[in-house]
Amino acid sequence: MQSIKIFAHRGSKGTHPENTMAAFQKAAEIGAEGIEFDVHLSSDGELVIIHDETLDRTTSLTGYVKDHSAQMLKTADAGGKFSKEFLGEPIPFLTDVFDWARGNALLMNIEIKTDKLAYEGIEQKIIDAIRQYRMESRVVLSSFNHDSIEKAKVLAPELERALLFEGLPDNFEEILSKKMESGFHPDKNSLTEAIAEAAKKLGYKIRPWVANDETDIIKLAKMDVDVIMTDFPEKAIKILKAWQATS
């Protein structure tokens, strides 16, 4: 059995405001091996870390991320809606995360958020930042929009890439065979023993999302996945260690 890594989904999202430096710092502090986060573009082409296409749910601003300048986005409070304790927590940019990541060894799963909106040139911008900060060996690029992954493959064949799925099409094996990427990121409810075996045979690393309770974490561990993505990394690490000690 391999060593299963714990990735903090949008950082330690269950205990801290998602996709903020506070959530990423907590993930590093409690011993997660990686973090997962989402990237959009501001109106002036800066790489912004936030999950939704709009600002309303998680920040003090409203409207689409793409309609605001980086300067405006920097005025947002991305913590107050989660808890008063995090009032004033800013929206981070990709450069903020990379600057911080120089001081640790965390792996980073960057989700390119082009599944709902087309962000012209976002793939190249992300790749340029990865190369500038020399993060090539620490990054996995993923997206539900497999065209974005195809673009990344042409622009940066050296980078690790992954196909994201919510629900699996009947021909998923055909898709995996044809694309021949490195990572297979299905939602946890779609992953079965048979599907995991099929993906492994094709050479894929399996990183399902998002498992938060003991039953799901152990079920995925029994499938010997490569990574478990979770909103509660501290809890997940404890569950995984306890299970490994008895299995």
Side-chain angles (χ1 to χ4, degrees):
M1 178 158 299
Q2 63 174 348
S3 167
I4 299 167
K5 293 181 171 68
I6 295 293
F7 276 26
H9 177 245
R10 304 184 210 164
S12 189
K13 173 181 176 282
T15 58
H16 289 65
E18 64 180 67
N19 276 336
T20 62
M21 293 310 303
F24 302 147
Q25 285 156 357
K26 183 64 179 176
E29 185 190 307
I30 55 87
E33 284 95 349
I35 53 173
E36 182 271 352
F37 54 85
D38 311 275
V39 179
H40 297 258
L41 279 183
S42 65
S43 63
D44 47 353
E46 294 297 316
L47 297 160
V48 188
I49 296 178
I50 186 168
H51 178 268
D52 300 357
E53 286 70 23
T54 54
L55 296 147
D56 308 51
R57 180 177 64 86
T58 57
T59 83
S60 56
L61 296 178
T62 58
Y64 282 92
V65 175
K66 69 176 179 64
D67 294 336
H68 294 71
S69 67
Q71 193 177 353
M72 185 63 185
L73 292 168
K74 283 174 183 173
T75 69
D77 174 358
K81 284 191 174 177
F82 183 86
S83 149
K84 282 181 183 168
E85 183 191 341
F86 296 103
L87 266 173
E89 183 69 31
I91 297 173
F93 288 72
L94 187 58
T95 50
D96 298 323
V97 175
F98 282 174
D99 279 329
W100 167 75
R102 284 173 162 159
N104 60 56
L106 281 180
L107 299 171
M108 290 167 278
N109 178 177
I110 301 174
E111 183 181 336
I112 308 168
K113 292 294 284 190
T114 48
D115 47 311
K116 293 193 175 82
L117 295 174
Y119 289 111
E120 191 60 45
I122 190 170
E123 298 86 3
Q124 185 69 66
K125 282 175 182 285
I126 291 170
I127 288 160
D128 288 346
I130 292 166
R131 286 173 173 161
Q132 183 191 337
Y133 281 84
R134 297 182 178 169
M135 293 288 172
E136 290 94 338
S137 64
R138 293 174 56 189
V139 161
V140 180
L141 295 176
S142 69
S143 186
F144 288 106
N145 180 349
H146 297 171
D147 288 344
S148 270
I149 297 304
E150 201 62 44
K151 280 182 193 171
K153 186 178 199 165
V154 172
L155 295 167
E158 76 279 12
L159 292 181
E160 192 173 344
R161 300 169 301 276
L163 304 168
L164 258 170
F165 292 89
E166 183 163 16
L168 286 174
D170 293 338
N171 68 332
F172 86 94
E173 277 185 79
E174 189 189 320
I175 293 168
L176 296 187
S177 298
K178 189 178 164 195
K179 297 284 186 186
M180 280 319 294
E181 292 297 355
S182 165
F184 172 50
H185 295 193
D187 66 279
K188 72 171 191 298
N189 297 328
S190 297
L191 191 64
T192 64
E193 283 281 1
I195 288 167
E197 282 310 310
K200 282 177 196 173
K201 277 180 186 162
L202 290 167
Y204 277 83
K205 288 179 184 168
I206 305 171
R207 305 183 186 99
W209 55 277
V210 171
N212 291 329
D213 62 45
E214 188 170 3
T215 309
D216 285 332
I217 290 163
I218 291 170
K219 179 184 155 193
L220 294 175
K222 283 178 177 172
M223 291 184 204
D224 202 22
V225 298
D226 295 85
V227 166
I228 295 173
M229 303 229 193
T230 179
D231 298 332
F232 295 91
E234 189 167 19
K235 181 173 101 172
I237 289 165
K238 284 176 185 161
I239 290 166
L240 192 58
K241 276 184 180 163
W243 176 78
Q244 285 169 332
T246 59
S247 59

